[in-house]
Amino acid sequence: MQSTIASLQLNTIKEKLELLYKTSNLIHVSIHNKRNKVLDAPSKIVGIYQRFLCVESKVNTYVEKFTINYTDIMTGNITIKEL
């Protein structure tokens, strides 16, 4: 039962991100990690996959590419302003 609810949540997040990708392709990502703190960084969605998405963002003066697990969005470790 619990895994079914988690799967539904993951699918919902994926569907919302796919809609964002089709409409604007630009999101604002915040990482709530003491070591890698980033707030509202404008990010371009590069790819959307079953359990994660890939984004490209300009942090400070360089371009950084990273992946975001949907579970990190569910737990609040990473927030996307548009969601």
Side-chain angles (χ1 to χ4, degrees):
M1 177 79 174
Q2 211 170 23
S3 64
T4 305
I5 293 171
S7 294
L8 288 173
Q9 289 176 326
L10 292 174
N11 286 335
T12 302
I13 290 171
K14 182 182 176 199
E15 289 170 2
K16 288 180 181 180
L17 288 168
E18 286 174 341
L19 182 62
L20 283 171
Y21 181 74
K22 290 177 184 176
T23 57
S24 71
N25 195 25
L26 182 69
I27 58 174
H28 295 84
V29 177
S30 294
I31 301 173
H32 308 288
N33 185 342
K34 291 181 181 178
R35 193 179 63 173
N36 298 329
K37 195 160 210 160
V38 176
L39 297 174
D40 286 334
S43 304
K44 178 182 174 187
I45 299 173
V46 178
I48 298 175
Y49 303 96
Q50 188 63 31
R51 301 278 183 224
F52 63 93
L53 75 143
C54 296
V55 296
E56 185 176 277
S57 179
K58 188 171 183 178
V59 179
N60 296 329
T61 58
Y62 60 94
V63 176
E64 183 176 340
K65 296 179 183 179
F66 54 96
T67 60
I68 299 172
N69 291 319
Y70 300 151
T71 53
D72 285 332
I73 295 171
M74 289 171 52
T75 59
N77 292 334
I78 295 177
T79 56
I80 297 175
K81 188 176 184 180
E82 289 75 11
L83 293 180

